[in-house]
Amino acid sequence: HDGGGSSNGSGKSNDKSNRSHYTSFGLVELSLLDGTGLFGGTFLALERTYNSATGNIIRLYHVDTADTDDVRNCKTLGPGAEASCTQLRFARKTLLLEWTRSGMRTLGG
């Protein structure tokens, strides 16, 4: 969030008139790091976004799916979902690298 408008806790501005400040990342690559597979495996995930105010922002994450719940049979997640699909353990993402217009930043700074 860049300070334009107030934050609603989601990282997005409440100021709907300036949509260029909204940042929504999309997954562009997912690579398996071990032979475990989707459930219980570890991955590298590459996400990116672009807007005219910040330019490109590209992030590389380590994703760990160990101890996560299988949601393939859930019709919906969260409120209103069947009991087995309301309290879920999701994959953990750790930011490794971030590339922006001003350079690259690693996990350690």
Side-chain angles (χ1 to χ4, degrees):
H1 179 66
D2 67 0
S6 61
S7 175
N8 63 11
S10 69
K12 294 181 179 178
S13 168
N14 286 330
D15 181 5
K16 303 289 188 206
S17 65
N18 192 351
R19 295 198 184 270
S20 69
H21 294 290
Y22 279 75
T23 303
S24 178
F25 285 83
L27 180 66
V28 294
E29 186 72 35
L30 185 66
S31 297
L32 182 64
L33 295 176
D34 56 29
T36 308
L38 185 57
F39 300 104
T42 56
F43 301 84
L44 284 178
L46 190 65
E47 298 181 3
R48 71 177 176 192
T49 190
Y50 175 83
N51 72 46
S52 60
T54 61
N56 285 304
I57 301 173
I58 302 167
R59 293 180 177 169
L60 181 67
Y61 290 94
H62 176 261
V63 180
D64 184 357
T65 61
D67 301 319
T68 59
D69 291 312
D70 183 348
V71 297
R72 288 180 289 184
N73 295 319
C74 294
K75 291 183 176 96
T76 187
L77 302 174
E82 57 271 24
S84 63
C85 297
T86 57
Q87 298 292 320
L88 297 170
R89 295 168 297 172
F90 294 104
R92 290 168 305 287
K93 286 184 0 179
T94 303
L95 181 63
L96 300 175
L97 298 169
E98 180 178 75
W99 293 276
T100 65
R101 181 182 286 173
S102 56
M104 184 173 65
R105 175 175 67 92
T106 62
L107 180 62

